[in-house]
Amino acid sequence: MGTEHSKNEGRRSMVFLRKGPKLPAWEDALLSGKEPKSLLKRGLRYVSVSLIMKGMTSTPDFLWGLPEVQKLNLSCNQLVVIPPSLGKLDRLVVLNLGGNCLKRLPKEIGLLRNLKVLFVNMNCLTEVPAELSLCRKLEVLSLSHNCISQLPLSFTDLTSLRKLNLSNNCFVQIPLCVFALRSLDFLHLGSNRLENIAESVQYLVNLQIFIIENNNIRTLPRSLCFITNLELLNVNYNAIQTLPDDLYLLRRLPRIAWNPIDKGLHIAHNPLSRPLPEVVEGGLDVLFNYLREKKEHN
């Protein structure tokens, strides 16, 4: 009887274990005695590790012993700190830290000299380490949905940067270092506290998409009209009353746009007084003709 009873107890225990919550992939791998390298996925372009939505409050130590990783996704967890050991992954090309609780980035991020894409959106950052500017190959950087109000002047060294998302932060003015990023073709500064755009914006000669919606901007600088590569200019939800007479120089803007993803001039929800809102509603050709004629008469 005793033996039979113990067998039944054993079966019940096994059933209980099987019905328990499924372990995250990395914990399952380690507890089963597998090498952490079994988590590496070798794709056509990158050797990657993905630990998305694992409920992690800290990073597992084994990560820093995988120097071959080129793409690391730690997004949508509850990470509060990224340790200095991050600098050991010097082959990283893509790093996604979005959707965590990070208050700062380690200065060792500057050791990631091959990094091209960095997402740190939706965190709690109040500043960005100057060492990030040592990542000279960086092409895409998203710092949206944080609490950042300024950037280090050393960001002028990020000469390869093409796409920069600074939306949903605390910027009162566009950081001066941004105007030195001549390779930018995408710049998003929506939902900040901007009150103006400096004339220096004209130096962003390769800019194609410029989003500054939902700020407190009252006027657009004349120099903005010289960024003739612009295909999308979104100034919705500001305090703009007048438009610069030279706006018609932006010939690549195809239309007055209403859908957020459409290329064109987005200018809804502004208290326009000159030109009259009716002129704007007539379409881009009507608007541009009005501005051209107005300039000639002046």
Side-chain angles (χ1 to χ4, degrees):
M1 280 292 289
T3 304
E4 189 64 30
H5 176 76
S6 60
K7 285 183 179 178
N8 290 336
E9 285 297 321
R11 290 193 192 99
R12 277 197 290 272
S13 297
M14 290 175 67
V15 170
F16 176 79
L17 286 172
R18 280 198 294 268
K19 289 184 178 179
K22 188 177 180 182
L23 289 169
W26 64 272
E27 286 187 7
D28 189 36
L30 295 185
L31 290 176
S32 64
K34 294 181 181 178
E35 281 287 324
K37 289 187 177 183
S38 65
L39 293 169
L40 294 174
K41 296 188 182 301
R42 301 182 184 275
L44 293 176
R45 295 186 65 188
Y46 301 124
V47 177
S48 64
V49 170
S50 180
L51 298 174
I52 307 173
M53 297 179 67
K54 301 300 183 185
M56 298 186 301
T57 55
S58 61
T59 51
D61 288 339
F62 73 81
L63 274 180
W64 321 125
L66 301 174
E68 59 266 65
V69 176
Q70 296 170 287
K71 184 177 181 181
L72 177 59
N73 194 337
L74 299 174
S75 64
C76 302
N77 282 287
Q78 299 168 37
L79 301 175
V80 178
V81 172
I82 298 295
S85 302
L86 174 68
K88 295 179 180 179
L89 304 183
D90 56 5
R91 297 185 193 176
L92 273 182
V93 177
V94 180
L95 176 58
N96 191 343
L97 300 172
N100 280 287
C101 307
L102 301 174
K103 293 185 178 180
R104 62 182 62 86
L105 294 173
K107 64 181 181 180
E108 286 77 9
I109 199 168
L111 298 175
L112 308 181
R113 303 299 171 87
N114 291 299
L115 196 65
K116 290 185 177 181
V117 179
L118 175 61
F119 291 99
V120 204
N121 51 300
M122 301 183 72
N123 276 279
C124 306
L125 300 181
T126 56
E127 60 182 9
V128 184
E131 288 79 6
L132 183 58
S133 62
L134 297 174
C135 301
R136 305 291 171 82
K137 294 183 180 180
L138 198 63
E139 297 178 4
V140 178
L141 174 60
S142 178
L143 295 168
S144 71
H145 294 84
N146 279 284
C147 304
I148 305 167
S149 59
Q150 57 185 356
L151 295 177
L153 283 175
S154 60
F155 261 44
T156 56
D157 293 332
L158 295 176
T159 54
S160 298
L161 199 63
R162 295 186 299 106
K163 303 187 187 302
L164 177 60
N165 191 340
L166 298 173
S167 64
N168 291 273
N169 275 287
C170 304
F171 292 100
V172 176
Q173 60 184 8
I174 301 175
L176 289 176
C177 59
V178 170
F179 300 129
L181 305 177
R182 307 296 169 83
S183 295
L184 280 185
D185 57 41
F186 174 97
L187 177 58
H188 195 339
L189 278 155
S191 299
N192 276 283
R193 301 172 185 172
L194 302 179
E195 296 185 356
N196 59 67
I197 302 171
E199 293 285 348
S200 302
V201 73
Q202 66 183 310
Y203 297 123
L204 301 179
V205 293
N206 291 303
L207 205 58
Q208 297 176 26
I209 296 177
F210 188 24
I211 303 172
I212 43 175
E213 64 177 348
N214 195 28
N215 279 286
N216 302 308
I217 297 168
R218 296 179 180 275
T219 60
L220 298 178
R222 180 170 179 264
S223 62
L224 180 66
C225 305
F226 304 138
I227 310 177
T228 54
N229 284 313
L230 274 178
E231 298 178 359
L232 190 159
L233 174 59
N234 188 339
V235 295
N236 286 343
Y237 294 98
N238 275 284
I240 298 171
Q241 296 184 13
T242 63
L243 296 176
D245 293 344
D246 291 316
L247 196 67
Y248 67 87
L249 296 174
L250 301 179
R251 298 184 180 88
R252 292 197 179 186
L253 294 178
R255 64 179 73 83
I256 299 287
W258 303 99
N259 190 318
I261 63 173
D262 284 348
K263 292 182 178 180
L265 175 63
H266 298 252
I267 199 167
H269 305 285
N270 280 283
L272 284 175
S273 59
R274 184 170 57 87
L276 297 173
E278 291 79 6
V279 174
V280 177
E281 291 172 5
L284 201 62
D285 288 341
V286 174
L287 172 61
F288 279 3
N289 285 335
Y290 169 88
L291 293 172
R292 193 181 292 108
E293 290 173 6
K294 179 174 174 295
K295 183 180 179 182
E296 290 174 355
H297 290 147
N298 289 340

